[in-house]
């Protein structure tokens, strides 16, 4: 059509707009509501108005109450974690036995019988295969329990209630109340949490939600927290209390993460991201009894296996890298041990060690492989007998054995606590970083979101280490 | 005799559901494009999964779907591409997560728009339904969550509703796959033109506004005789929506 006719229409519309005045929007909206009410009135009949939604309202009264809201939230989180910790133990050790104790030697023997050269056999079986096997043994059981439980809660309709409970605190910290939802998604996966921030309209508040999502412990980090807490925190109390103690430690770290999320949100609003808190409506949806088996099935197939597959994709090359840096020598030292020695001084300041820092560099692609990497590097550097040589991810069939290795590597309670802190406060994994870039389209904010948590991690672990050494 | 039985069967949606093939992600060479629109948390993703056999993540909280998902199904050897849109309360607002839905309904020109509503919150949901009916002639109302409505003793006269809205109404409980065969059949009939919709147009508009809308609509129709949603464009122009002005200029709307 001609440009003219379009200009005509636009000119006519602005003329008419002048004539109508300001109430066009309201007039139209009222018209729509009036129509809607007429149509619904003609078609809907409710038998017993009083009975409607009564049970929902009753439940809401309790789970969003000032007194019970928070205790119930922590109780639910506690129960989910407890089931995960307790339940994951047995399948984990069974998987470890199968993949590490049975299949690994078989592969080794097979390789030897066909006369595979030592470097190829090491690279493939001790590097790639062991990394993948380890990730499956460590990651699969907790995920297969945690994800379905979380999904059940989500289907039931509990998440918006969490947002409701936390709204006041978000407002205080200058952030959007819907950040509670994106934070909850982050407990599953930070990349998913970052994408979910699209539900926040204001760009300022959305950016805050993106930057602070990393403070939600993701499924790649839960197993690390759980394992280290079980070995070191559980050991300082009498055995009958050890599972309670390690559970409390893990919940403590998760809550600390929420605290840092609020603190960072608040700090950002006070400095670089100033602005008003926007208001919003949040529907509290009706509670819906989840379709139990269907939910279990889909969350296993979709969430658990997809996340596991991603972990495997990253673990395989990481295993190869670990084997290579442990077996390529420059002068008398392998690249790995040279790096570890270089990082040790800095690591000591933070109450950590060079092994942990190197593991976090190797594990940038996926948090899931931190613990396997740490174990392998520890075995290699401290030369503990029983390790299978340079670059072999050590096989462990029990938590006690893992603990023995770490203690032999010079670990103390301080190392464990600071590792848990650093696991909470460090850069997001590469997938999340890429997602942040895709969502913000800004190199600046992607950098901020990636670097800020590491700096906080350095500061916090440094302070804890110094105070610890003064006191003990 | 045999013929008679057959023809009775053929009109039965249960029988025809056998003609359904869930095609998952295979969305090439489709005959019709179907959009799933509706308020947040009305079960659009559940309907989507029931039709395509995909397992789009579902959850009981408003705002769960933020990107649009695509899938396909085949029915009576015709291929339908289905697009699951993020929930939106209104086409009049300007929030970002609702933009995906708004733009697709306006500019994506779906062959059929399935509007999924929560049966127990019908009046509130109709707000969006009425807005969508201003834009498109081919729509189906999917009265979802019927199980919950029943639990809450809410009865809906679907015939009256269909007559008032001028589009077919299909009651469903997508979570339990109830009503899905019926829905497919209806989508097919609207897409192929077996059912002709006469969608409701917003009536309770103040006189001065209605007059302005009429004047502008006439002008638009004179310039673009084939435009289906001239009244909606008039609404938006009177609102001063810069997006629509842009779209008019670039010819996206025609």
């Amino acid at each position: 059509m001609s440009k003219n006719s379009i200009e005509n229409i636009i000119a006519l519309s602005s003329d008419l707009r002048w004539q109508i005045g300001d109430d066009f929007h309201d007039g139209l909206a009222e018209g729509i509501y009036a129509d809607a009410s007429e149509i619904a009135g003609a078609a809907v009949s409710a038998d017993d108005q009083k009975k409607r939604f009564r049970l929902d309202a009753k439940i809401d009264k309790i789970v969003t109450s000032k007194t019970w809201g928070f205790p119930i939230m922590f109780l639910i989180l506690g129960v989910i974690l407890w089931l995960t910790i307790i339940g994951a133990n047995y399948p984990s050790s069974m998987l470890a036995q199968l993949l590490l104790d049975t299949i690994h030697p078989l592969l080794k023997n097979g390789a030897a019988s066909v006369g595979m050269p030592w470097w190829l056999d090491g690279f493939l079986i001790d590097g790639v295969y062991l990394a993948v096997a380890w990730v499956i043994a460590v990651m699969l059981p907790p995920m297969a329990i945690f994800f379905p439980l979380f999904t059940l809660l989500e289907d039931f309709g509990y998440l918006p209630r969490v947002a409701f409970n936390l709204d006041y605190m978000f407002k205080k910290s200058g952030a959007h109340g819907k950040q509670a939802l994106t934070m909850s998604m982050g407990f599953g996966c930070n990349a998913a949490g970052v994408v979910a921030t699209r539900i926040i309209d204001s760009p300022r508040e959305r950016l805050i939600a993106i930057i602070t999502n990393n403070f939600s412990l993701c499924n790649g980090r839960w197993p690390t927290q759980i394992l280290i807490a079980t070995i070191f925190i559980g050991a300082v109390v009498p055995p009958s209390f050890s599972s309670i103690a390690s559970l409390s430690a893990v919940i403590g770290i998760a809550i600390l993460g929420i605290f840092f999320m609020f603190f960072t949100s608040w700090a950002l609003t006070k400095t670089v991201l100033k602005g008003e808190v926007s208001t919003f409506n949040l529907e509290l949806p009706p509670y819906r009894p989840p379709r139990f088996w269907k939910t279990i099935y889909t969350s296993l197939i979709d969430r658990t296996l997809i996340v596991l597959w991603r972990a495997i994709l990253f673990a395989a090359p990481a295993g190869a890298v670990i084997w290579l840096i442990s077996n390529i020598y420059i002068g008398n030292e392998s690249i790995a041990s040279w790096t570890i020695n270089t990082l040790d001084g800095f690591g000591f300041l933070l109450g950590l060690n060079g092994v942990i820092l190197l593991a976090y560099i190797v594990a940038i692609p996926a948090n899931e492989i931190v613990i396997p990497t740490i174990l392998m590097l520890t075995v290699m550097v401290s030369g503990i007998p029983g390790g299978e040589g340079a670059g072999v991810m050590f096989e462990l069939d029990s938590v006690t054995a893992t603990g023995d290795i770490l203690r032999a590597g010079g670990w103390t309670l301080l190392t464990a606590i600071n590792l848990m802190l650093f696991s909470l406060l460090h850069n997001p994994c590469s997938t999340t970083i890429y997602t942040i870039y895709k969502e913000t389209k800004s190199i600046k904010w992607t950098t901020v979101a990636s670097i800020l948590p590491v700096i906080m991690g350095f500061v916090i672990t440094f302070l804890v280490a110094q105070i610890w050494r003064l006191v003990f | 005799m045999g013929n008679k039985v057959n023809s009775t069967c053929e009109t039965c949606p249960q029988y025809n559901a056998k003609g359904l093939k869930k095609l998952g992600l295979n969305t090439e060479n489709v005959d019709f494009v179907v959009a799933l629109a509706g308020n947040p948390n009305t079960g659009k993703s559940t309907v989507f999964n029931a039709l395509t056999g995909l397992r789009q993540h579902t959850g009981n909280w408003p705002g769960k779907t933020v990107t649009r998902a695509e899938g396909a199904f085949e029915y009576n050897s015709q291929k339908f591409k289905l697009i699951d849109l993020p929930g939106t309360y209104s086409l009049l607002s300007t929030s970002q997560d609702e933009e995906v839905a708004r733009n697709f309904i306006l500019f994506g020109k779906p062959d059929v728009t399935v509007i999924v509503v929560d049966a127990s919150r019908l009046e509130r949901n109709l707000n969006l339904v009425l807005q969508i009916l201003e834009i498109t002639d081919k729509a189906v109302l999917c009265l979802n969550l019927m199980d919950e409505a029943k639990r809450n003793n809410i009865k809906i006269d679907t015939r009256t509703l269909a007559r008032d809205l001028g589009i077919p109404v299909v009651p469903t409980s997508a979570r339990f796959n109830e009503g899905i065969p019926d829905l497919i059949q209806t989508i097919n009939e609207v897409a192929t033109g077996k059912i002709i919709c006469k969608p409701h147009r917003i009536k309770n508009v103040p006189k001065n506004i209605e007059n302005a809308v009429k004047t502008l609509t006439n002008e638009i129709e004179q310039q673009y005789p084939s435009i289906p949603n001239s009244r909606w464009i008039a609404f938006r122009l009177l609102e001063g929506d810069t997006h629509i002005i842009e779209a008019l200029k670039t010819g996206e709307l025609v």
Side-chain angles (χ1 to χ4, degrees), chain B residues 226-247:
Chain B
S226 61
I227 207 160
N229 42 18
S230 51
R231 206 164 105 105
W232 179 258
I233 295 170
F235 281 147
R236 297 314 293 158
L237 285 174
L238 290 173
E239 178 97 34
D241 185 337
T242 46
H243 268 90
I244 293 289
I245 296 175
E246 259 329 287

Side-chain angles (χ1 to χ4, degrees), chain A residues 156-221:
Chain A
F156 180 56
Y158 184 65
L159 292 193
R161 275 76 188 180
V162 172
F164 186 89
N165 285 338
L166 293 177
D167 183 47
Y168 173 76
M169 296 171 76
F170 278 103
K171 208 163 145 192
K172 275 264 161 184
S173 64
H176 199 287
K178 281 191 193 168
Q179 198 176 318
L181 293 172
T182 64
M183 179 192 81
S184 306
M185 294 306 284
F187 282 126
C189 167
N190 293 134
V194 168
V195 175
T197 61
R198 291 186 194 176
I199 59 174
I200 298 174
D201 301 341
S202 129
R204 180 190 76 92
E205 288 156 344
R206 184 165 175 222
L207 208 46
I208 293 175
I210 290 177
I211 294 171
T212 57
N213 195 270
N214 190 42
F215 296 121
S216 296
L217 276 181
C218 68
N219 70 75
R221 294 183 273 170

Side-chain angles (χ1 to χ4, degrees), chain B residues 99-138:
Chain B
E99 197 173 289
V100 181
R102 268 199 319 272
N103 284 349
F104 190 82
I105 297 170
L106 272 175
F107 307 127
K109 299 194 186 102
D111 293 301
V112 182
T113 307
V114 177
I115 315 168
V116 184
V117 298
D118 179 346
S120 48
R121 289 164 181 72
L122 182 63
E123 183 173 338
R124 200 194 318 167
N125 281 219
L126 280 179
N127 187 24
L128 175 74
V129 175
L130 293 176
Q131 293 177 32
I132 293 176
L133 292 187
E134 285 289 336
I135 297 172
T136 173
D137 285 339
K138 289 185 158 187

Side-chain angles (χ1 to χ4, degrees), chain A residues 158-387:
Chain A
Y158 184 65
L159 292 193
R161 275 76 188 180
V162 172
F164 186 89
N165 285 338
L166 293 177
D167 183 47
Y168 173 76
M169 296 171 76
F170 278 103
K171 208 163 145 192
K172 275 264 161 184
S173 64
H176 199 287
K178 281 191 193 168
Q179 198 176 318
L181 293 172
T182 64
M183 179 192 81
S184 306
M185 294 306 284
F187 282 126
C189 167
N190 293 134
V194 168
V195 175
T197 61
R198 291 186 194 176
I199 59 174
I200 298 174
D201 301 341
S202 129
R204 180 190 76 92
E205 288 156 344
R206 184 165 175 222
L207 208 46
I208 293 175
I210 290 177
I211 294 171
T212 57
N213 195 270
N214 190 42
F215 296 121
S216 296
L217 276 181
C218 68
N219 70 75
R221 294 183 273 170
W222 286 113
T224 309
Q225 299 286 350
I226 292 169
L227 189 70
I228 297 300
T230 313
I231 295 172
F232 287 93
I233 313 282
V236 290
V237 294
S240 50
F241 294 103
S242 64
S243 65
I244 282 286
S246 40
L247 178 66
S248 319
V250 176
I251 294 178
I253 291 284
I255 292 174
L256 195 65
I258 297 175
F259 166 79
F260 276 113
M261 186 269 306
F262 278 121
F263 174 77
T264 313
S265 302
W266 173 81
L268 287 169
T269 359
K270 289 288 168 230
T271 52
V272 283
L273 289 170
K274 284 184 189 153
E276 289 297 307
V277 180
S278 50
T279 53
F280 68 100
N281 286 319
L282 182 73
E283 247 183 292
L284 292 184
Y287 290 105
R288 295 183 178 136
R291 298 195 60 191
F292 189 81
W293 292 111
K294 196 179 168 191
T295 306
I296 299 277
Y297 172 78
T298 49
S299 73
L300 269 181
I301 297 297
D302 296 345
R303 279 181 146 176
T304 310
L305 288 186
I306 284 173
V307 174
L308 183 70
W309 178 239
R310 188 187 85 92
I312 289 172
L313 280 185
F314 284 115
V321 167
I322 293 167
W323 189 85
L324 285 176
I325 60 174
S326 313
N327 284 281
I328 296 178
Y329 282 73
I330 299 176
N332 283 330
E333 255 185 325
S334 70
I335 298 177
S337 85
W338 181 83
T339 322
I340 289 168
N341 289 336
T342 315
L343 291 173
D344 252 343
F346 184 54
F348 179 77
L349 280 180
L350 303 179
L352 300 168
N353 58 38
V355 170
I356 296 175
L357 293 179
L358 177 60
Y360 269 97
I361 297 172
V362 175
I364 284 176
N367 283 305
E368 291 86 336
I369 57 176
V370 164
I371 287 290
T373 311
I374 286 175
L375 286 171
M376 193 281 299
L377 291 171
T378 305
V379 168
M380 186 193 69
V381 175
S382 57
I384 297 160

